Amino acid sequence: MSGLLGVRLLLLWGSACLWLPGLARGSLFISGAHEALQETRGAARSLQKRSTTEVTVEVYSVTVDCTVTSRFAHTVMTSKALNKANTSQEIFFEMELPKTAFITNFSMEIDGQVYVGEVKEKEKAKKEYEKAVSSGQTAGLVKASGRKMEKFSVSVNIAAKSNVTFILTYEELLQRKQGQYEILTRIKPKQAVQEFQIVTNIYEPQGISYVDAHATFLSNELLPLVEKTVTDNKAHISFSPTLEQQRKCASCDETLIDGDFIIKYDVNRVIVNGYFVHFFAPPDLPRVPKNVVFVIDRSGSMSGRKMVQTREALLAILKDLHEEDYFALIQFDDRIDSWQKSLTKATKENVDQAMIYVQQINYRGGTNINQAVLTGVEMLLKDRREKKLPERSVDMIILLTDGMPNSGESHLPRIQENVRSAIRGNMSLFCLGFGNDVDYSFLDVMSKQNKGLARRIFEGSDATLQLQGFYDEVSSPLLSDVDMRYPDNAVESLTTNHFNQLFNGSEIVVAGRLMDNDLDNFLVEVFGQGASTVDWGVMYPDEEYIFGDFTERLWAYLTIQQLLEKSKSGATDEKANATAKALDMSLQYSFVTPLTSMVVTKPETEDGTDTPSHLDGDPHFMIELPDRDDALCFNVNDKPGTIFNLVRDPNSGILVNGQIIGDKKIPPDGKINTYFWRFGIIHQTLGVKLEVDTEVISVFQDGKWVKLLTVTLKDSVKFVILLHKVWKKHPYHRDYLGFYTLDSHLLSPSVHGLLGQFYHGIEYEVTNLRPGEVPEKPDATMFVKGQELNVTRGWQRDFRRDMKNGENVPCWFIHSNGTGLLDGDATDYIVSGLFKTV
């Protein structure tokens, strides 16, 4: 990333690694130390015994409690288990969860003591877990195990004769598809459980239009046990069979509970604004005609059932085309063949002829994905240039392939770049990966780079339905290039508010923070291209607002999802920052993502407490870059008593120097921490000289010193100095000061100093994100001021909003006293006195 940007600057003390405990749900499959998990295709893993040894882990309670508030689902699964053996036993949990969900907590209750998991960088969490297991401690590890996060796995070591309660939580934003929301919980306890219960509570302020609950395992006997109560905006669903009702037969332990428990519902279609979450799914919009090119893989690997199912799906899809749509068919192996040279109007006669062509598609040859997609792109672009397509229509390519490119261009990044360069944002590319041999991540990135999305089609008897289902999701565009616009200076930290398409039955969700609590004049403008001849736009004032603690987590959830997408499909200079920010937020909000894991252990100490580490007291400088939503930081280490020039502006006559002080005495570790304890400020234009220390503010004006509590200099740059009080009887640490600069744009371009040199921006680029010495703090390469620096992703604290605890702000840390980032060396900024310039 590069660019000259305005900055805000902060001077902070203290750094800390943030390990936040979380909360939890999912489908839970359990095995003891003498059992293993064997995966069955298209379903959850079942249990098989490793040996004939008697299973000694008994699970006697499983409960699932799901609460949905404005589409944000928070689900807690609680399971109680007993290890009957005389030795510790490791049991294995495995869950199939929606790929858009994040696990947020795994905790254990042992002998009345609760141990809560901590989200950490993956490798560090793994090492802690392995150390605990090897010593016989009870421990758990939660991590995302699938590329698309369809599966999560948890291993738990249970001490001998221990009774343990496990609590697992996950959160997700329900996605509206084909006009409804779906809550799916996969249940496979494998044995009758003494206590079994599923409870779901839904609250939708807009009102609930309908609710349906069913399960794949429901028999005529179990069906009456599903209880459902629905009011205007609330719904309660429960399912709680007794031990006897779960049994397959009166004398066996096998259970009827084996499959998916599914709740589907929708809300009354009204725009709802929250603090701050907006859901946008306008009713009664006319569909936009589409121009779709189907690019079908017919290589040798598509032989047999795959080709049959592909033909069946295409025939059904062609029947669903509307007459105002245009379509084309391209089939490829190592050769590219098109049904027609340009797109064809979807009249009944043309569709009938196309269906005959589809029935003749057969497998042969290699796989030239590059040329096939480029042929489809060029066909759409050519027809657009020749004005053969409706002006107000949507262009899209749907690629179906089952393998890796092995003909023509085969280097995956080059194919992605070729396709992106050809499309140039003029159409959407949707990719379907058929089976397990396809490189799904390649298709996923390529589709997201081109305003589309990818979907894996699993081999099985329902593959035809999967293909049709995906087409149904994207076949009815309502709007394109949708922008959700908010008032200037009213919101901050918005999630993505530009969307390439809105399809019928789907929904747009935007979250963010209100900059104040005044909602009286809060308006949302929605602009998009629709079927009409002018831009479609509307304003929604005075709508209902959603408040509650969940909204911040929903905002964080959306932001992390979008950062993870950008880390895969964004521009090269965006990927490193996106990955680092996603890791920061995953740790801050305790989400298990592809970048993190969660570990929980029973501490070795009897009191269950750890010795807290002290804050590093050496002055920490942070340069906030609001235009880039990023920050740079560095430390300055020197001996107590040193005075640094922080800000010097010869044009406005402003000077700020700061003096550091050390600990009261040398701590046991031998490291003396230093802090700023005194600042000298000169404003020559106003004839004012200020001295601020941890005790008092003194002003020198008209030849005398006056002691004050607060000082305001009108029409000038603002400096904020915060006093941090330390316990008076602390054996080492002292009170210290924090320094913040506001309105730095009021200073002249000549401003300099340890901080002042950054007031008018800094140009830099971050690339090559890689593991660092500390697992949760990755390293990267920074290009700045003509130099190449090794930097580390870390945190600094901003105490302006929360003076007690501070707010952790992620930043790129520059080592060695800011060498390479600073003009010159840190020692160049040392001055001889509090009001001196040299």
Side-chain angles (χ1 to χ4, degrees), residues 642-809:
T642 302
I643 301 173
F644 291 99
N645 171 240
L646 305 180
V647 181
R648 182 164 61 90
D649 185 358
N651 290 1
S652 63
I654 290 179
L655 175 78
V656 181
N657 293 336
Q659 185 176 27
I660 59 177
I661 193 172
D663 282 333
K664 298 174 184 176
K665 61 181 179 180
I666 300 176
D669 62 4
K671 176 178 171 54
I672 296 181
N673 298 292
T674 55
Y675 322 84
F676 275 110
W677 77 283
R678 192 165 65 128
F679 292 106
I681 302 173
I682 295 177
H683 196 305
Q684 289 182 348
T685 304
L686 298 179
V688 174
K689 183 185 293 185
L690 301 175
E691 181 177 334
V692 184
D693 60 30
T694 54
E695 299 291 335
V696 71
I697 300 175
S698 301
V699 178
F700 185 83
Q701 192 171 24
D702 299 329
K704 60 181 179 179
W705 285 96
V706 180
K707 294 185 178 180
L708 301 172
L709 293 178
T710 60
V711 176
T712 302
L713 302 177
K714 294 183 179 181
D715 303 320
S716 177
V717 63
K718 296 181 179 66
F719 299 117
V720 178
I721 298 176
L722 299 181
L723 172 62
H724 298 275
K725 299 289 288 183
V726 176
W727 180 45
K728 288 186 177 181
K729 295 183 179 180
H730 195 287
Y732 310 112
H733 303 325
R734 304 175 184 267
D735 294 348
Y736 61 94
L737 299 175
F739 179 81
Y740 302 83
T741 306
L742 307 179
D743 301 325
S744 58
H745 64 279
L746 295 176
L747 293 167
S748 76
S750 301
V751 65
H752 208 264
L754 203 58
L755 291 178
Q757 61 188 289
F758 302 110
Y759 281 166
H760 294 295
I762 182 169
E763 185 177 358
Y764 70 96
E765 179 182 347
V766 176
T767 61
N768 189 24
L769 192 72
R770 56 193 180 274
E773 291 184 10
V774 180
E776 67 273 12
K777 295 184 177 181
D779 285 347
T781 299
M782 175 180 287
F783 296 94
V784 60
K785 295 183 177 179
Q787 300 192 60
E788 182 177 327
L789 308 178
N790 181 67
V791 296
T792 302
R793 194 64 172 177
W795 300 270
Q796 299 288 17
R797 287 192 181 185
D798 182 349
F799 289 91
R800 285 174 298 176
R801 294 186 180 91
D802 184 351
M803 289 190 61
K804 181 179 179 182
N805 301 308
E807 176 185 359
N808 280 297
V809 177

Side-chain angles (χ1 to χ4, degrees), residues 54 230 254 273 316 354 365-366 462 471 513 550 564 716:
E54 181 183 358
V230 183
E254 291 183 84
N273 301 329
D462 66 340
Y471 175 77
R513 294 174 179 169
F550 83 97
L564 290 172
S716 177

Side-chain angles (χ1 to χ4, degrees), residues 13 106 117 260 307 409 495 730 745 832:
W13 290 262
F106 178 62
D260 297 337
M307 184 55 69
E409 180 58 67
T495 59
H730 195 287
H745 64 279
S832 59

